[in-house]
Amino acid sequence: REPYPAPKAGLLRRPTTTLAQIGARELRDPRLAALLDAYAWTYGFDPATAPASAAVLPYMEQTFGSWYVGGGLRALADAVYERCLERRVAFVFDTPVEEVLEKDGRAAGVRLAGGGTVEADQVVSGAPVPALHRDHVVPRLSGDAPTPHQAVGTSRVTVCLALRGPREAEAVHRTVVHGADGRPTVTVLRPDDPALRPDADHEAVTVTATVPTSPERDAAGWEAFADRMVEAAGQAVPGLPERLLWRHVRTPEDVRRDTGVAEVPGPALAGAGGRLLPAGNPSPLPGLWLAGGWAHPGGGLAHAGMSGALVAGFIVEGADFRGSR
Ligand SMILES: Cc1cc2nc3c(=O)[nH]c(=O)nc-3n(C[C@H](O)[C@H](O)[C@H](O)COP(=O)(O)OP(=O)(O)OC[C@H]3O[C@@H](n4cnc5c(N)ncnc54)[C@H](O)[C@@H]3O)c2cc1C
C-alpha cells in the first residue's frame, strides 16, 4: 500500500505521483524545475518516473544544509578506521569473503578467499547486495527468490583536476552545470580546503557526472567523455583550460573494481511500486545482516552510516528495534 497517498491537483484532479509533476505544478519556471530534477538525475532516477517522494532530497538539503568532510572523503574513511582500531576491530584487507557459512539454519561465520574461515555469532555484510547474489556469497540469497534491492542502472564518472592559480575567494563550493549541446550534466566541486592543494597558488577541483552503466566504453571512450565533462565544468571555473596542469579520470569500471559493482545506489524512496527500496537490514538468513548503500535506508554516506546504526540496534536490542528513541 502506498504509505503517502499523493494529493490531487488540476481540473481532472489527477494525483501528483512523480517528481516531474511536482516541478511542473509547483515551479512555473522550467529552470527551477531543472534544478529540482537534477536531484533525481544525480542518482540515476528519471524525474518522469521518480516518485514525488524524491522531493525530500532538495528539502533536506535546503532545510538542514549539506556536509563537507575537511580533507576530502578519504579523511572520513581514515577517521572511521582509527576509531575501529581503538575499539579493537581486526581488519583483513584484500581478502574477499567467498561464502557466508550456515549452521543450523543461521549464519555462523565466513569463508575467506584463500581458504581461511572466521566463526561469528552475527555476520554483517557491507558488500553490495547484487554482488552477494552474483558471486553466490550467500547461497540462500542467490536462489530462486533473491533478496530484492534497488534497481539501479547508473554509475559515476569522476574527473579530478589539478589547476595552477589560486581559487577565487568568492568561488562557489558546488555548481551543477546542466547538460546542453551534447555535453553531460556535471557537478563541479570547488571546496575551499587547504588539505586538497599543495599551496594557495593551486586548486583541486572535482567534476562528477552520472552515467548509464551500459553500453560500456573503453579507456579512450571515457577520456573523450571526460573531455566533454571538463568543457562543461569550464562554465563554473573561470580560465579552466589555461589553468589545467593534469587530470585523473575515474570510471564506472573503477567503481566496480573498488566496490564489487559499477552501479551506485541512491537513497531509499517510497512509491514507484517499491522499485527504489533497498534491501532490508535483516536478511532472509537469520544472523546475517545487510548494511551499506544497498541496504535500508540506501546509498549516500549518511544513509550507509545509518544502515550500520540500524543493524547494530537490531543485534543489540532485538528484532523489534525501530530506531533510536
Ligand atoms: C563517484 C562517487 C561519488 C559519490 N559521491 C557521494 C557524495 O557526494 N555524497 C554521498 O553521500 N555519497 C556519495 N557517493 C555514494 C557513497 O560513496 C556510497 O553510498 C557509500 O560509499 C557506500 O558505502 P558502503 O560502505 O555501502 O560501500 P562501499 O563504499 O561501496 O564499499 C563496499 C566494500 O565492500 C567490499 N566488498 C565487496 N564484496 C566483498 C566481498 N565479497 N568480501 C569482502 N568485501 C567485499 C568492497 O571491496 C568495498 O570495500 C558517491 C559514490 C561514488 C561512486
Side-chain angles (χ1 to χ4, degrees):
R1 191 173 67 84
E2 172 61 69
Y4 306 107
K8 296 183 174 161
L11 273 181
L12 300 176
R13 307 275 304 147
R14 278 193 305 231
T16 308
T17 56
T18 69
L19 190 69
Q21 285 173 336
I22 290 198
R25 286 183 178 170
E26 303 284 331
L27 307 168
R28 304 283 170 210
D29 188 326
R31 290 170 300 179
L32 285 177
L35 208 54
L36 177 68
D37 290 352
Y39 283 89
W41 283 121
T42 302
Y43 296 106
F45 304 155
D46 183 343
T49 54
S53 60
V56 76
L57 301 172
Y59 167 78
M60 294 289 285
E61 187 181 296
Q62 305 277 322
T63 309
F64 302 106
S66 55
W67 295 83
Y68 170 75
V69 181
L73 275 187
R74 174 71 205 205
L76 180 63
D78 288 344
V80 173
Y81 177 65
E82 294 297 331
R83 176 88 175 126
C84 288
L85 289 182
E86 269 174 33
R87 305 299 299 254
R88 299 199 299 279
V89 173
F91 287 84
V92 183
F93 289 116
D94 299 321
T95 311
V97 167
E98 287 191 336
E99 188 181 352
V100 172
L101 302 172
E102 222 180 298
K103 192 177 170 195
D104 301 330
R106 59 173 289 126
V110 292
R111 181 168 54 77
L112 304 175
T117 58
V118 181
E119 289 182 13
D121 296 332
Q122 309 278 351
V123 177
V124 180
S125 169
V129 174
L132 296 180
H133 292 168
R134 183 197 61 209
D135 300 339
H136 303 280
V137 177
V138 189
R140 192 185 290 204
L141 259 62
S142 313
D144 294 339
T147 312
H149 57 76
Q150 194 176 77
V152 189
T154 50
S155 185
R156 310 278 171 90
V157 179
T158 308
V159 186
C160 306
L161 302 175
L163 306 184
R164 70 168 71 82
R167 172 187 188 278
E168 326 81 85
E170 69 281 5
V172 173
H173 183 127
R174 187 182 66 170
T175 307
V176 176
V177 180
H178 294 272
D181 306 327
R183 288 195 310 258
T185 294
V186 295
T187 301
V188 184
L189 300 168
R190 303 181 68 191
D192 187 10
D193 184 348
L196 298 190
R197 55 193 179 226
D199 54 48
D201 290 327
H202 294 85
E203 183 184 3
V205 173
T206 305
V207 187
T208 63
T210 299
V211 291
T213 44
S214 70
E216 291 178 8
R217 297 170 201 245
D218 59 13
W222 285 122
E223 286 296 328
F225 187 80
D227 287 344
R228 296 205 296 282
M229 288 173 64
V230 175
E231 200 186 316
Q235 294 193 32
V237 186
L240 196 161
E242 304 80 56
R243 295 180 59 201
L244 185 60
L245 283 169
W246 48 266
R247 76 181 190 192
H248 178 73
V249 180
R250 286 186 52 85
T251 70
E253 179 53 25
D254 294 308
V255 177
R256 190 199 60 74
R257 199 192 49 240
D258 289 344
T259 71
V261 293
E263 288 77 14
V264 179
L269 289 176
R275 190 170 43 88
L276 300 179
L277 292 179
N281 304 114
S283 84
L285 177 64
L288 171 67
W289 306 89
L290 304 176
W294 290 90
H296 181 74
L301 290 160
H303 292 95
M306 274 189 260
S307 74
L310 287 171
V311 166
F314 277 125
I315 292 174
V316 174
E317 296 199 18
D320 292 336
F321 179 69
R322 289 293 175 272
S324 50
R325 287 177 290 274

